[in-house]
């Protein structure tokens, strides 16, 4: 017996049971109603499976009842599976799975945001219709969770700061997170003496969600035949734009409106004290060397390693520098050291750069142009020293008015987040984030 026959047998069994219930003088109307409703859903599944099997004699699906998405998607997205797209590089996994994700996201975008009637029916048949409501706080239609998760994963893939900081969900626009500032102390006591009391010290780290938006234009010629490429494009472009700004805020934000008022790790280190030399988390460049990267020595960067507290020397500890800094400073110093061969210089040792035993995470938001009093290299465990507040939800909206003259559509995507780089220490002790700063002159 095939699957359709099994479903038909279940319908007959449900109908028979419903009839028996109705014959009883003390019948339960709710139970009979449930059986009949179940049969409506089963009938929709039969229609979908029949369509899959190429049997056009049955009515096409289209009712609002939620059916098995796998059955419907396999029929409507088959034409997209073989297309040479970049969906795999965006969503990962097999080409079939990646194309299906891109197809579903593209159809949602066409139906919910663009107002394409056929696409709107398509997503409604798959139960995605619950997400058609506008979300004003996020500036448009709230991206369904199944797609928002993929976009967030892409942001984490592209964004260095989010991927390494401690990410906490924000259920409201603000969140206060306690942090431990000191522990209890053990004291020697004499016979009959009182024990000196000590308490844990705590402070609060506050997060206030900021609204970040990206704005771009796309062709007005959108249809379901381009759903795969459209879905991959929307996910990738939104993720790249969000990730770039998140990195800029997390690493070099100076508290101005350019960074949504966020102070990043480099500026937080400098803000510890007006006297840079008294900041325990900063290794200061030698006087007279100014902004020159060429003046940075192995001894200077060893000094940065020496400033990292033992508790922060974890498996998550890493360098955070720009690609320019890595190749013009770190790689240059490593190449000049003894023990290198032509092979290691030509091929490298690892695909992931390593310097002084710590992985190097290339963060393009970090400085790449020399300047005085510049924190150009960070070392530490961001998961201990920085909070990334994620106010879950991505909003997407579309307008044909702004780009009316050029026959294009204006796309706006919005997310909300905050960053607090609190682990920069003080003038008494370094924190889990330390760094190197160039000389003042």
């Amino acid at each position: 017996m095939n699957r359709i026959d099994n479903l038909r047998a279940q319908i007959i069994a449900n109908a028979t049971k419903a009839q028996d219930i109705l014959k009883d003088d003390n019948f339960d109307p709710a139970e009979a109603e449930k059986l009949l409703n179940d049969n409506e859903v089963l009938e929709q599944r039969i229609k979908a499976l029949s369509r899959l099997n190429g049997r056009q004699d049955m009515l096409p699906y289209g009712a609002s009842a939620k059916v098995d998405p796998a059955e419907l998607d396999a029929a409507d997205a088959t034409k997209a599976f073989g297309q040479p797209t970049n969906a795999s590089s965006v969503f990962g996994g097999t080409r079939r799975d990646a194309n299906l994700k891109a197809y579903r996201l593209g159809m949602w975008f066409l139906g919910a945001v663009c107002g394409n009637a056929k696409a709107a029916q398509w997503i409604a048949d798959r139960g995605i219709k619950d997400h058609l409501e506008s979300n004003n706080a996020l500036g448009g239609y709230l991206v369904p969770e199944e797609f928002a998760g993929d976009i967030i994963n892409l942001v984490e893939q592209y964004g260095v700061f989010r991927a390494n900081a401690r990410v906490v969900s924000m259920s409201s626009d603000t969140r206060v997170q306690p942090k431990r500032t000191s522990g209890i102390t053990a004291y020697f006591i004499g016979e009959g003496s009182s024990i000196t009391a000590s308490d844990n010290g705590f402070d609060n780290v506050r997060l206030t969600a900021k609204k970040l938006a990206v704005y771009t234009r796309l062709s007005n010629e959108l249809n379901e035949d381009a759903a795969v490429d459209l879905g991959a494009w929307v996910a990738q472009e939104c993720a790249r734009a969000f990730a770039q700004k998140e990195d800029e805020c997390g690493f070099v934000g100076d508290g101005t409106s350019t960074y949504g008022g966020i102070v990043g790790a480099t500026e937080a280190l400098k803000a510890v004290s007006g006297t840079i030399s008294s900041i325990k988390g900063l290794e200061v460049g030698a006087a007279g060397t100014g902004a020159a990267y060429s003046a940075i020595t192995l001894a200077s960067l060893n000094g940065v390693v020496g400033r990292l507290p033992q508790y922060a020397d974890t498996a998550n500890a890493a360098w955070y520098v720009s690609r320019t800094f890595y190749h013009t400073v770190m790689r240059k110093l490593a190449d000049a050291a003894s023990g290198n061969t032509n092979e290691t210089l030509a091929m490298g040792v690892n695909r992931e750069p390593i310097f002084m035993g710590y992985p190097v995470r290339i963060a393009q938001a970090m400085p790449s142009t020399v300047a005085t009093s510049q924190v150009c290299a960070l070392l530490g465990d961001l998961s201990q020293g920085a909070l990334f507040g994620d106010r879950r939800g991505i909003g997407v909206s579309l307008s044909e008015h702004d780009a009316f003259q050029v026959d294009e559509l204006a796309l706006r995507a919005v997310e909300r987040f905050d960053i607090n780089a609190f682990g920069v220490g003080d003038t008494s002790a370094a924190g889990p984030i330390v760094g190197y700063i160039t000389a003042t002159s």
Side-chain angles (χ1 to χ4, degrees):
M1 184 179 289
N2 60 32
R3 191 170 183 184
I4 290 179
D5 290 336
N6 284 332
L7 293 173
R8 285 174 173 158
Q10 184 62 50
I11 288 175
I12 293 172
N14 286 350
T16 301
K17 187 175 181 180
Q19 287 178 346
D20 292 338
I21 292 173
L22 293 173
K23 290 177 181 177
D24 190 334
D25 292 337
N26 298 317
F27 76 94
D28 182 356
E31 185 178 358
E33 179 99 12
K34 181 180 182 304
L35 289 167
L36 295 175
N37 288 338
D38 288 345
N39 276 358
E40 289 183 7
V41 175
L42 292 173
E43 287 169 359
Q44 292 300 324
R45 290 195 175 187
I46 289 175
K47 292 175 184 178
L49 285 170
S50 297
R51 190 169 184 229
L52 261 178
N53 295 335
R55 292 171 57 184
Q56 300 300 322
D57 56 312
M58 301 194 71
L59 291 174
Y61 74 88
S64 60
K66 294 183 180 180
V67 300
D68 188 345
E71 296 170 358
L72 296 176
D73 293 343
D76 288 292
T78 297
K79 61 183 179 180
F81 293 150
Q83 294 181 18
T85 70
N86 69 334
S88 293
S89 63
V90 176
F91 294 104
T94 65
R95 183 172 68 176
R96 182 183 178 91
D97 291 343
N99 280 2
L100 179 54
K101 284 184 179 181
Y103 188 73
R104 287 173 66 85
L105 175 56
M107 291 297 278
W108 172 82
F109 184 79
L110 284 170
V113 183
C114 301
N116 181 295
K118 183 177 179 181
Q121 182 61 53
W122 193 94
I123 62 176
D125 290 337
R126 284 146 183 82
I128 308 176
K129 61 182 181 180
D130 293 339
H131 299 280
L132 293 180
E133 293 83 2
S134 178
N135 187 293
N136 292 327
L138 288 171
Y141 293 96
L142 183 63
V143 176
E145 188 173 343
E146 69 168 289
F147 308 133
D150 285 318
I151 296 177
I152 292 298
N153 287 339
L154 280 173
V155 174
E156 291 175 349
Q157 175 184 331
Y158 300 144
V160 179
F161 200 91
R162 179 194 280 259
N164 291 278
R166 181 185 174 193
V167 179
V168 295
S169 296
M170 299 177 66
S171 57
S172 62
D173 287 348
T174 61
R175 172 169 175 159
V176 177
Q177 184 82 12
K179 70 169 183 176
R180 179 178 178 275
T181 57
S182 63
I184 59 177
T185 304
Y187 297 94
F188 287 105
I189 59 173
E191 185 177 351
S193 300
S194 299
I195 302 175
T196 303
S198 63
D199 297 306
N200 283 315
F202 291 94
D203 198 357
N204 288 325
V205 178
R206 178 174 291 274
L207 295 166
T208 303
K210 277 77 173 176
K211 191 174 182 179
L212 177 67
V214 297
Y215 179 86
T216 188
R217 293 178 178 179
L218 62 158
S219 170
N220 206 7
E221 302 298 323
L222 298 176
N223 56 66
E224 54 271 16
D225 291 334
V228 173
D229 288 329
L230 178 62
W233 182 86
V234 169
Q236 188 172 46
E237 291 304 307
C238 291
R240 285 190 185 279
F242 287 148
Q244 179 180 344
K245 182 57 72 171
E246 289 174 5
D247 276 2
E248 291 172 358
C249 293
F251 287 113
V252 299
D254 59 8
T256 63
S257 58
T258 301
Y259 305 99
I262 295 172
V263 177
T266 57
E267 293 299 314
L269 274 167
K270 291 168 64 175
V272 167
S273 173
T275 305
I276 296 297
S277 60
S278 67
I279 301 174
K280 295 301 182 182
L282 281 178
E283 182 72 14
V284 186
T289 60
Y293 285 172
S294 59
I296 301 176
T297 64
L298 278 173
S300 297
L301 296 181
N302 259 322
V304 177
V305 177
R307 290 176 181 269
L308 187 68
Q310 184 61 34
Y311 70 82
D313 192 2
T314 68
N316 296 322
W319 292 97
Y320 296 93
V321 298
S322 67
R323 183 177 180 85
T324 298
F325 187 92
Y326 171 70
H327 284 284
T328 59
V329 179
M330 291 177 161
R331 186 71 198 212
K332 182 179 178 181
L333 292 173
D335 291 347
S338 60
N340 284 306
T341 65
N342 288 334
E343 182 180 359
T344 58
L345 290 176
M347 305 299 295
V349 179
N350 295 287
R351 283 291 294 167
E352 181 181 37
I354 294 177
F355 187 72
M356 292 184 175
Y358 295 93
V360 179
R361 308 260 161 80
I362 301 298
Q364 288 298 83
M366 287 290 290
S368 57
T369 304
V370 296
T372 56
S373 301
Q374 175 193 84
V375 179
C376 49
L378 294 173
L379 174 67
D381 183 349
L382 287 186
S383 66
Q384 290 191 21
L387 283 181
F388 188 105
D390 188 3
R391 184 77 165 95
R392 285 290 180 181
I394 296 173
V396 177
S397 59
L398 200 68
S399 172
E400 62 181 4
H401 303 294
D402 191 51
F404 178 79
Q405 288 183 320
V406 290
D407 193 29
E408 290 181 335
L409 298 170
L411 168 70
R412 181 182 66 195
V414 179
E415 73 161 347
R416 302 172 77 187
F417 74 100
D418 194 16
I419 292 172
N420 192 318
F422 62 88
V424 293
D426 50 35
T427 56
S428 301
I433 303 175
V434 298
Y436 177 89
I437 186 171
T438 57
T440 57
S441 61

